[in-house]
Amino acid sequence: MLIRGVTDQTIRRPLMNGLDLTGEGHPASVQKNEFRTMFLAERMEEIDHANTRWLQQIVASKGWPTLTQAGSVPSKAAWLLVQHADDDIAFQARALKLMTPLAKKGEVNQSNYALLTDRVSIALTGHQIYGSQMSCTKGRLIPLPIEQPTDVNQRRHALGIGTIEQKISEMKDEGICR
């Protein structure tokens, strides 16, 4: 599970951070960058499909890997794989259903639970609950539509995660959305 989680993040990092252009915008460099982006996006999709199929088998045979049972790193790796299983929203929803009682017992990372909840909620309803899903518009992080936005920080507090404003600040500090 750990290797799959590392691979998941390794393939995404250049796409999330933007590929480095060499040659100051030289047309040949821009073309190389576009090719690399296309190649990485296709490879990421292949990895996501393989990880989804693999995790489905693990979850079917052993259940959701909890913090106590698997440890924090493998549990996070499993969450990464399901979080990026966007081609199978039904599987994401099943995983979320398994995680919900575990979240109440502190057996899954609360922030990861919020992220998957929002991912599934947006896919099914177009709105999120905890405000964890953002878009980058003109260098600004903007939360995707939130159900009852005035109460979002109360819901986040109930999970023990910081305010939406704190999350946006952290993401900016990490260089997300330049």
Side-chain angles (χ1 to χ4, degrees):
M1 191 163 326
L2 298 178
I3 291 171
R4 287 179 182 270
V6 169
T7 302
D8 173 276
Q9 291 300 281
T10 301
I11 196 75
R12 280 180 163 70
R13 192 158 287 121
L15 291 170
M16 287 175 26
N17 295 334
L19 296 171
D20 292 331
L21 289 176
T22 56
E24 302 293 324
H26 185 275
S29 296
V30 172
Q31 187 176 14
K32 276 184 184 177
N33 197 46
E34 289 172 359
F35 175 77
R36 288 180 185 130
T37 299
M38 184 178 68
F39 172 78
L40 286 173
E42 288 175 7
R43 185 70 182 114
M44 183 175 69
E45 189 174 314
E46 292 169 5
I47 290 168
D48 288 347
H49 288 301
N51 285 342
T52 299
R53 289 189 303 271
W54 180 83
L55 187 60
Q56 286 171 331
Q57 293 173 350
I58 297 296
V59 171
S61 67
K62 298 180 180 180
W64 188 259
T66 65
L67 292 170
T68 300
Q69 170 198 26
S72 64
V73 174
S75 183
K76 180 179 181 178
W79 164 77
L80 280 171
L81 302 186
V82 75
Q83 181 78 353
H84 297 139
D86 293 325
D87 63 327
D88 193 342
I89 186 66
F91 175 58
Q92 287 179 319
R94 281 194 309 274
L96 183 60
K97 187 175 181 178
L98 291 172
M99 289 175 73
T100 299
L102 297 172
K104 292 175 183 172
K105 295 177 186 175
E107 283 293 337
V108 294
N109 178 287
Q110 300 298 302
S111 181
N112 294 348
Y113 173 74
L115 284 157
L116 185 59
T117 299
D118 284 349
R119 192 94 161 213
V120 170
S121 185
I122 286 172
L124 297 177
T125 70
H127 290 84
Q128 58 182 323
I129 309 302
Y130 298 105
S132 66
Q133 304 295 297
M134 310 275 177
S135 70
C136 181
T137 306
K138 297 180 182 178
R140 290 186 56 219
L141 285 166
I142 312 249
L144 296 178
I146 300 172
E147 187 76 30
Q148 300 175 347
T150 56
D151 299 333
V152 69
N153 283 331
Q154 288 174 313
R155 291 190 297 271
R156 292 175 67 88
H157 178 72
L159 286 184
I161 58 178
T163 67
I164 194 167
E165 295 81 10
Q166 289 169 324
K167 185 61 180 173
I168 290 171
S169 178
E170 288 171 13
M171 291 173 76
K172 284 180 184 177
D173 291 345
E174 292 171 9
I176 297 172
C177 189
R178 296 179 208 176

